[in-house]
Amino acid sequence: MKISILFLPILVWSSSFCLFDADAQVVGQTGGGWSIRGTDPIMIFYGGNHVTSYNAGEAEGKPFFYPVIGPTGENMTRDWPMAEGRADEATDHVHHRGMWYGLGKVNGRDFWHFPLDPQKQDGRIFGVIRHRGMNGVVMSKDDITIKTKSVWIDFVSEDRVMSDTREFRLFYRKDGGLVVDATITLIADAGDVKISDDKEGAWSIRTLPTLRLEGEFAQGNIVNSEGVEGREAWGKRAKWVDYFGVDRQGNEVGIAIVDHPSNLRYPTWWHARHYGLFTANPFGQGHLEKDAPETAGDHVIPSGESLTFRYRTIFHEGDAKAAAIEKAAEDFSAR
């Protein structure tokens, strides 16, 4: 049986939950299975081992997951800029933080780049995504689902542009791969929301440096559901994309993101770069397809309505074939 908790302004606790000091707060636990601690970051554990943390990102401009510990025990996302000192990591794109959701242009505002990045002060108008707490958590020995809410606001005026709700379900496959199912609902609760065509966005990961395709420490490659590999996967439509190679210890690993058939413009376009960024972007057709109109990816969410996206992210051992990513995509599509 699953345990469900609703987070209100005052937390309601069942008899199986206990409260310690603020730094060691155990929000929920299920024996040797899943548990969470804290509020910022929301730290997620399995069997007492840290799996990932959901960071509110108040200073960074958007919420993000970091780190994400893969099946070999290593963080599979880039450490910088959250942590310093890795000689093998590039210090580019300060807005690339772990695993996150962001968009390049919403009602004329940039919700992708870091608002205080001196290299991006070129007249653009910035927005920020503010984490506004949890809507609940559901746990069993097999999986955990956390539900959060966010508001998208103008960086200067703090006027609301829209809001969202997020649901993240984490579980392990039989082969030890970590799965994160993300359901993100964009809500037009402050008037019409126009998402303009842009190559930046939406569900995104910056990988650890060994999964890069180029550079001194690069030992990775890219493949998509259509069999397109390497740099050629950029801008292509596909049901899934997998970055694969080795981790820092030489173990064969990969990260796959799977699009869902219910999503707008499935199968999506992929902003899959040689330096370790890949992102599922249903709003980038005009920037990613050579002959498409510049506004081809525009989409309006009318006031009072919403738009939901679902993605499955798999942190696995081996390459896409060994990890049966095609079968995993079929299973996800049937959900």
Side-chain angles (χ1 to χ4, degrees), residues 39-98:
T39 54
D40 186 16
I42 302 168
M43 301 176 68
I44 303 176
F45 296 80
Y46 183 79
N49 297 314
H50 186 208
V51 176
T52 188
S53 291
Y54 187 69
N55 300 266
E58 186 74 16
E60 295 84 359
K62 66 177 74 68
F64 59 95
F65 283 95
Y66 169 83
V68 183
I69 307 302
T72 64
E74 183 169 350
N75 173 33
M76 294 187 70
T77 68
R78 181 176 71 166
D79 285 306
W80 193 86
M82 290 71 66
E84 303 279 351
R86 287 282 197 182
D88 59 355
E89 291 196 333
T91 55
D92 56 52
H93 299 84
V94 68
H95 50 283
H96 292 175
R97 296 174 183 265

Side-chain angles (χ1 to χ4, degrees), residues 111 137 158 245 272:
F111 288 92
V137 58
E158 298 191 355

Side-chain angles (χ1 to χ4, degrees), residues 6 8 53 69 105 176 190 203 293:
L6 179 64
L8 301 171
S53 291
I69 307 302
K105 191 176 292 185
W203 181 243

Side-chain angles (χ1 to χ4, degrees), residues 24-318:
Q25 178 180 336
V26 179
V27 179
Q29 58 186 10
T30 56
W34 293 93
S35 63
I36 61 174
R37 302 176 189 174
T39 54
D40 186 16
I42 302 168
M43 301 176 68
I44 303 176
F45 296 80
Y46 183 79
N49 297 314
H50 186 208
V51 176
T52 188
S53 291
Y54 187 69
N55 300 266
E58 186 74 16
E60 295 84 359
K62 66 177 74 68
F64 59 95
F65 283 95
Y66 169 83
V68 183
I69 307 302
T72 64
E74 183 169 350
N75 173 33
M76 294 187 70
T77 68
R78 181 176 71 166
D79 285 306
W80 193 86
M82 290 71 66
E84 303 279 351
R86 287 282 197 182
D88 59 355
E89 291 196 333
T91 55
D92 56 52
H93 299 84
V94 68
H95 50 283
H96 292 175
R97 296 174 183 265
M99 179 169 65
W100 74 98
Y101 189 87
L103 294 170
K105 191 176 292 185
V106 182
N107 285 8
R109 296 168 177 84
D110 182 344
F111 288 92
W112 177 261
H113 294 99
F114 179 48
L116 300 180
D117 184 350
Q119 297 182 353
K120 299 299 178 181
Q121 304 303 314
D122 52 3
R124 70 185 69 204
I125 301 172
F126 289 101
V128 290
I129 306 170
R130 297 300 190 202
H131 172 68
R132 288 293 183 255
M134 294 184 69
N135 281 334
V137 58
V138 181
M139 286 182 291
S140 77
K141 66 174 183 170
D142 298 320
D143 63 3
I144 182 171
T145 300
I146 65 169
K147 302 177 182 182
T148 70
K149 52 187 176 181
S150 311
V151 62
W152 300 49
I153 61 175
D154 183 279
F155 178 59
V156 176
S157 69
E158 298 191 355
D159 290 338
R160 180 190 291 260
V161 175
M162 65 175 176
S163 66
D164 73 50
T165 59
R166 307 177 180 204
E167 180 175 309
F168 302 106
R169 175 179 175 246
L170 288 76
F171 63 94
Y172 283 104
R173 307 195 318 176
K174 291 181 179 179
D175 64 2
L178 173 66
V179 179
V180 181
D181 283 350
T183 302
I184 299 172
T185 299
L186 308 177
I187 305 167
D189 54 3
D192 290 349
V193 172
K194 181 180 180 181
I195 303 172
S196 298
D197 194 305
D198 197 283
K199 68 180 176 64
E200 315 289 14
W203 181 243
S204 309
I205 293 177
R206 181 67 187 261
T207 74
L208 77 167
T210 50
L211 293 188
R212 295 167 59 128
L213 277 64
E214 297 179 9
E216 180 182 356
F217 302 98
Q219 301 180 65
N221 201 353
I222 302 171
V223 65
N224 70 18
S225 59
E226 312 311 302
V228 180
E229 295 191 25
R231 280 177 172 263
E232 294 303 311
W234 183 87
K236 302 296 192 302
R237 300 184 79 169
K239 295 178 292 184
W240 53 264
V241 164
D242 191 284
Y243 257 87
F244 64 96
V246 298
D247 64 17
R248 289 184 171 101
Q249 304 304 315
N251 302 301
E252 293 185 357
V253 296
I255 307 172
I257 299 179
V258 182
D259 196 20
H260 193 275
S262 66
N263 289 345
L264 178 72
R265 297 168 179 155
Y266 173 88
T268 195
W269 292 264
W270 296 86
H271 186 44
R273 303 301 306 274
H274 62 281
Y275 55 79
L277 169 73
F278 71 125
T279 174
N281 184 2
F283 305 110
Q285 182 180 2
H287 284 75
L288 301 176
E289 287 188 358
K290 181 179 179 181
D291 298 324
E294 290 186 0
T295 59
D298 287 5
H299 183 79
V300 175
I301 308 174
S303 180
E305 297 187 15
S306 63
L307 180 62
T308 296
F309 291 96
R310 297 174 177 86
Y311 300 102
R312 170 163 287 182
T313 305
I314 306 169
F315 301 85
H316 61 84
E317 292 192 83

